[in-house]
Amino acid sequence: MRRRQALGLLGAAALAGAGGRGAEGATPPVVGLLSMISAAVNAPPIAAMRLGFADMGFVEGRTIAFVERYADGDPARLRAMADELARRAVDVIVAAGGTVAAAAARRATGRIPIVFTAVGSPVADGLVASMSRPGGNMTGVSILTTELDAKRLELLCEAAPAAKTVAAIGFSGRPNLAAQLASVDASAAQIGRTLLTETVAREDEVAGVFARAVGAGAGAILVLGDPVLFNWRATIIERAAHHRLPAMYQWREFADVGGLMSYGPSVRHAYRLAGRYAARILRGESPATLPVLQPAVFQLVVNLRTAAALGLTFPPSILARADEIIE
Amino acid sequence: MTTDGAPGAHAREKPRRPLRRKYFVALFAAVAVPLAINGASEAWFGYRGQRALLDQRLGVESRAAALRIGEFFEGVVAQLRWAVQQPWVEPDLDRRRLDALRILRLTPPIAEIHLVDDRGVERLSVARIAFDRQGVAVDRTGDPAVIGARTRPVWYGPVAFRQESEPHMTVALGGDRRGAGLVLAEVDLRLIFDLVAAIAVGGQGGAFVVDHDGSLIAHRDASLVLRGTDAAGKRAMAELREATTGGRTVVTRDPAGRRVVAAAAQIAGVEWTVFVAEPVGEAFAPIRDALWRTGLLVVAGAGFAALLAFWLARRMTGPIRALEQGADRIGAGQFDHRIAIRTGDELQRLAERFNAMAVDLAESRERSERIARLKRFLSPQVAELVERAGSADLLAGQRAEVVVLFADLRGFTAFSARAAPEVIMRVLAAYYEALGAIITRHEATLTHFAADGLMVLLNAPVPCPDEPAARAVRLARDMVGAVARLGAGWSAAGHGLGFGIGAAFGEATVGRIGYEGRHDYTAIGPVANLAARLCGAADDRQILVDAALARRLGPDVGAVSQGRRGLKGLAEPVEVYAVPSAS
């Protein structure tokens, strides 16, 4: 309780500072954006985040300023940038791009409020005390990255019933990757599929991993969620197309650019919610008492063009489920 | 008596409760009290009216909100009915799955659908997160949802908070036809957040929903719901629900801690309550404005009443002050003062009476001053008489037969030469005190006194009722007696003073002589001269009278002729009589 009060006071102090500066009109509060994903790849979600601030009445350049740092998938750079934002004493940090960004920001500061976005399991990853009451200087939006893996596998197998062996590809630097892979393996066993687990550490390893999976008899690919993989999405999609592998992705941003199908919440909406949360914190609310938001709506996006290229026909059950069909 | 017009000391001190203040209070109260009563009643009825309006408005809003949330569930239920339209036939499983998937696709709030046959066995399920299940028979006969759906058209389960944060509930219903089985749906209640957030009450008001337990299910600020409701919050909500039953509105705090006016309505189907709440400041703004208006009117009215009352009180007390001041000045002897009041009412009449009184007083004072002057040489009785007779005529010069009586002390010149002044004055004071009383008693006129000598007149200006000569003798004898009694003391003190009287009867010119208020009444003629000479000739305790006087005396007086005596200042000797100094 005492800690929460102290944090509440910190929040209030942050507000007072922001309000004071805002009143002068000279220096509006500063939002530090820490992104694991490159600016080019992450542009649409970041735009959505800006909309979140606009929803709360902030006008960029006048009542709010952004300092944006993109690590382009490099964890070391990410940490350095988090430290830099902490040194600059920005008013709030938006940690965009999974647990890795959130953890880097938290390592850099225990004082500046942090709003994370697109984190898989914030409680399991140790970012917050609970979903309803985060309790620290952190809150944000979770997007059920790993919780939906089983469902993705199921949908993939339903779309590609011939594939008895499925390769799951994860980023080797992801925290808790082993547990995630074990969970997917159990799910595969449940529906009678063989799972190959592949990890990739660098973008130039992607091609090799795909070749290895195909060599091992994989008939379909499940790409696990990670901001780094999101950053390499063009390469991954290109490799899947090259090997004519049906593939399931986490987010519609993959299906949009040629991925066969994706199932998950709207990343853009999650970013927008994160923007609103950061704005509320600037207005004086404490991250300790802002519950972690989770998406309630998941979209199944299927790309018929890709399916046609693969010679694949989606069964009616997939088409009945699909929220969006790209033709 | 002062005549400078300064009011007396008693008039200068202020009255304890001045009339002006009383008038002011009475007049002010006459206007302000009805005004205040009117204002208060207007405020009260205005408040009642506005409050009733507010109650009505919030009541309508709350029922509309309940209806909208009810419609949300009706929409969910209407979709779910598709799943239990047909009786179960085994090969239908795939078709049913597709139906369920379409429902899932069309109804975002539904997170999972479970289809259960009439025996209570789950045949298939589709879900957004969990695996779908098909062909795996799960016995659900003991599931409260299954039991509930069999006993009522639609069963709504309790609200469960996933991860202690996200509200979910189970909705279950059975098909209309035999063998159609049941459908159980997991509903994600976060999808009603937007619905509730869209409910606007007034400018800043909104709605929130609590379940039967008092847990917050929906609020415009979703984070309040996701944060979960603690025991105190649940208790507060239960109390609020209790307080708002029957469409009442209450002033309370909403889950966000704002002071609001809230009304509640039950949501059909689910055992939930939707509250609509408007911030107190906004909800009561019309009431506050009306109260302000009324208050300002009352204050302005009271101010106007005060001015009016002040003006009227001044107008009413002005003449009274003029009267008071007039009375002061008249009382202070300024009889020429006139009180000018032209109000045409009783006060003017009173002022006129005061003025008339001033005239009377002036006359009265003049008269008393005249009497005072007369009293200098007339005995009080004579003075009154002269005054009553109309003054001046009696004192005018005339020829009258009078007795002139002179008296003086023997040896006074020698005494005054040797005695101390205070002794002289003491002797004279006693002397005149004694003689004055006697002169007054005998109604004689004291015309003149100087040092030890005095001149007394009888039969003028007012004639004596009896024989003036006899009266003169009685007067003289009393004088001698009185001085003899004083003389005993004087002899003891060695003053060596005697006392002699001379009196004469005859015609003399009597009248007032003098100037500017210093008037004496005196007798002029030989008789006065004669009396003075007889006095000078008289020995100690001797009363000498002339022949004219002696002839008018009765034999019992015992006047004894002293023969003719030559008297100083007279050419021929005159016959002198001595009257015994005691009868």
Side-chain angles (χ1 to χ4, degrees), chain A residues 54-115:
Chain A
D55 290 342
M56 300 297 289
F58 284 99
V59 180
E60 188 174 350
R62 282 208 292 136
T63 56
I64 196 158
F66 291 95
V67 175
E68 298 169 49
R69 292 291 175 268
Y70 297 92
D72 297 339
D74 183 345
R77 272 180 71 191
L78 185 76
R79 282 195 292 275
M81 287 168 171
D83 290 339
E84 185 212 337
L85 289 175
R87 267 199 313 278
R88 286 184 65 138
V90 295
D91 296 287
V92 63
I93 292 174
V94 177
T99 305
V100 62
R106 177 160 169 172
R107 199 185 56 83
T109 178
R111 191 184 60 79
I112 300 172
I114 299 163
V115 177

Side-chain angles (χ1 to χ4, degrees), chain B residues 204 251 259-261 278-289:
Chain B
Q204 304 199 352
V251 174
R259 291 206 20 99
V260 294
V261 187
E278 198 172 8
V280 166
E282 182 185 300
F284 287 139
I287 296 176
R288 203 180 44 220
D289 291 351

